[in-house]
Amino acid sequence: MEFDFQYQITKFIFYSPVAFIQNQFFPNAIKNIEFSSDTIGLNILLGLLLIISLLLVVGLQFFRLSTERIIPLFKLLSAYYVAIVFLKYGFDKIFKRQFYLPEPNILYSNFGSLTRDTLFWSTMGTSHIYSIVTGAIEVLAGALILFKRTRIAGFFLALIVSINILLINISFDISVKLFTSFLLMVVFFNLYAVLKTTYVFFIQHKAVQLPASVHNDIPVNKRVHAGLCAVIVGLVLTPAISTRNFNDDNTQRPLLHGAYQIEHFTVNNDSLNRNDFPYRRFFIHRNDYIIFQKEDETMVDYFFEINEGAKQMTITDYENNKISVTYNYNAKEGDLQLSFGNKAHWTIQSKALNWKALPALQDGMHYTIDEIK
């Protein structure tokens, strides 16, 4: 299990004030505050941070304290922060931990029934090459930012990447717009001092000298810097190394994971025609959800816990109602029987579908349209 240091620290400091404000002014907000992007809880957190920042600025001005070393310090800290973010998300892409392989229930859904963010995420997840290339670019940006001599180049690369990501998030309504906007502002904060100089050099083709503020960095001991870099890379790579999961597409899926076609249904030993049964397929999701697909293509999902020794599942709906299910699985034939209720009042007989053979998951590239059949 991964330990999110940033989330735990944020929760320890800000959970109580954020929860208080949310409960007082936003009664319809998600009750489980996790500070995930585009939630009311995260917006409240950023509002509190803005207020704290303004108070610090006012305090510095009131006490006439010099900011000569404060701004370079924040630039240095923000540089390490941006490097961590780009390294983390870059390696997550390379190891297929971000754009993961679409689940069977997504692959058997109608195109028009899926939201734009699900469509984008799932499409990206079908291409291993795309994940590796985009991840490598982000890793390169993060690595360049870690070192003083290449930091400006790294931030310019991060700027291009961040603008593209924000455009994607807005265009496909992906729920990390707020975080991406914040990241873009942090990148811009580190670049604003050299934007004019860059324009003059590349557009007007004139000789320039970097402004003094660029050289006015906080000095970091080489050994301390090397130690920080080692810690950062270690934290970023620990999840993949600890699980030995360097390509999530090949990770072993849980027992019964997959897609199943319902072939037979009985109620109290009386068989029903398929037309009399409202479901055509069901799917076992890797995150312990069983999802039933109706004849009209709509889906309903339930959380389940499995006891492999007893060959039983406990299915729970969103109102916390539970039902016991006994399963009988023949892996060789792909047959899965589900018997619902303690006395097996109704039973589903199903056949596993070869969902990995679907066209969306096939590798390869066509050089000419003549190859497409």
Side-chain angles (χ1 to χ4, degrees):
M1 181 179 292
E2 299 178 32
F3 185 80
D4 192 333
F5 292 94
Q6 179 179 334
Y7 169 72
Q8 295 299 331
I9 294 172
T10 303
K11 182 178 179 180
F12 177 76
I13 299 174
F14 292 103
Y15 183 87
S16 295
V18 169
F20 175 79
I21 296 173
Q22 179 171 295
N23 293 335
Q24 293 296 319
F25 300 100
F26 304 97
N28 295 324
I30 299 174
K31 301 302 180 184
N32 186 22
I33 301 174
E34 294 184 349
F35 302 115
S36 56
S37 189
D38 293 357
T39 60
I40 291 177
L42 183 60
N43 279 274
I44 295 173
L45 173 63
L46 292 180
L48 291 175
L49 293 175
L50 177 61
I51 293 172
I52 293 172
S53 301
L54 292 175
L55 291 176
L56 288 174
V57 171
V58 171
L60 290 171
Q61 294 294 326
F62 181 79
F63 292 104
R64 298 183 179 180
L65 298 175
S66 174
T67 60
E68 182 179 351
R69 306 303 291 173
I70 294 178
I71 292 178
L73 175 61
F74 275 97
K75 278 192 172 183
L76 178 63
L77 294 175
S78 65
Y80 282 119
Y81 173 76
V82 173
I84 291 172
V85 171
F86 272 82
L87 288 172
K88 177 187 183 303
Y89 282 98
F91 280 115
D92 279 353
K93 287 182 176 67
I94 291 174
F95 299 147
K96 287 299 298 291
R97 292 168 60 88
Q98 183 178 20
F99 295 136
Y100 41 80
L101 200 68
E103 282 292 308
N105 62 295
I106 297 297
L107 293 167
Y108 283 94
S109 297
N110 278 337
F111 183 93
S113 65
L114 298 173
T115 58
R116 285 179 296 162
D117 63 332
T118 302
L119 283 170
F120 177 85
W121 216 261
S122 301
T123 302
M124 297 303 101
T126 63
S127 174
H128 195 189
I129 294 177
Y130 180 84
S131 289
I132 291 177
V133 173
T134 54
I137 293 173
E138 292 182 12
V139 168
L140 176 61
L144 290 174
I145 291 171
L146 280 178
F147 300 95
K148 183 178 178 180
R149 289 189 176 184
T150 57
R151 188 161 294 159
I152 297 300
F155 272 121
F156 272 111
L157 182 56
L159 179 67
I160 297 171
V161 172
S162 299
I163 292 174
N164 178 61
I165 293 175
L166 181 60
L167 178 62
I168 290 173
N169 292 339
I170 293 174
S171 302
F172 292 91
D173 195 26
I174 299 174
S175 299
V176 283
K177 296 181 283 293
L178 185 60
F179 173 71
T180 310
S181 300
F182 169 76
L183 188 64
L184 182 60
M185 287 189 290
V186 175
V187 171
F188 186 79
F189 168 70
N190 282 273
L191 283 177
Y192 78 91
V194 299
L195 289 178
K196 182 179 179 180
T197 304
T198 304
Y199 175 82
V200 172
F201 181 78
F202 285 103
I203 305 301
Q204 298 182 346
H205 305 290
K206 296 180 180 179
V208 296
Q209 184 176 359
L210 288 176
S213 59
V214 175
H215 302 288
N216 191 26
D217 292 334
I218 298 294
V220 180
N221 181 275
K222 290 184 178 181
R223 291 185 179 180
V224 173
H225 176 72
L228 286 172
C229 291
V231 170
I232 290 172
V233 173
L235 288 174
V236 168
L237 294 179
T238 292
I241 294 174
S242 62
T243 59
R244 297 182 181 179
N245 180 7
F246 300 104
N247 181 1
D248 189 68
D249 288 356
N250 298 330
T251 300
Q252 182 68 34
R253 298 307 194 251
L255 179 69
L256 306 182
H257 176 268
Y260 297 88
Q261 183 76 38
I262 296 175
E263 296 188 331
H264 193 65
F265 179 71
T266 60
V267 178
N268 293 326
N269 297 322
D270 293 329
S271 298
L272 295 181
N273 294 324
R274 288 186 58 182
N275 295 334
D276 297 327
F277 188 59
Y279 301 106
R280 60 187 303 186
R281 301 187 188 103
F282 68 89
F283 312 94
I284 304 295
H285 194 282
R286 67 185 298 183
N287 292 332
D288 300 328
Y289 284 91
I290 182 168
I291 304 165
F292 290 92
Q293 184 179 40
K294 297 182 179 180
E295 289 292 341
D296 62 1
E297 304 292 339
T298 59
M299 298 193 187
V300 57
D301 60 281
Y302 305 90
F303 178 77
F304 74 87
E305 296 174 303
I306 190 168
N307 184 335
E308 296 184 26
K311 293 188 176 182
Q312 288 188 332
M313 303 167 60
T314 301
I315 296 178
T316 308
D317 64 16
Y318 285 93
E319 296 180 355
N320 207 33
N321 297 312
K322 300 179 184 293
I323 186 171
S324 178
V325 179
T326 302
Y327 70 86
N328 186 14
Y329 180 53
N330 185 332
K332 184 177 180 180
E333 300 295 331
D335 295 329
L336 176 59
Q337 178 181 289
L338 302 180
S339 301
F340 292 75
N342 294 329
K343 296 182 180 180
H345 293 296
W346 48 291
T347 302
I348 293 175
Q349 189 68 42
S350 65
K351 193 81 170 179
L353 298 170
N354 188 9
W355 60 277
K356 289 188 176 181
L358 291 172
L361 301 184
Q362 303 313 302
D363 291 329
M365 183 180 68
H366 301 96
Y367 293 95
T368 66
I369 61 173
D370 306 84
E371 301 176 66
I372 303 175
K373 297 180 180 180

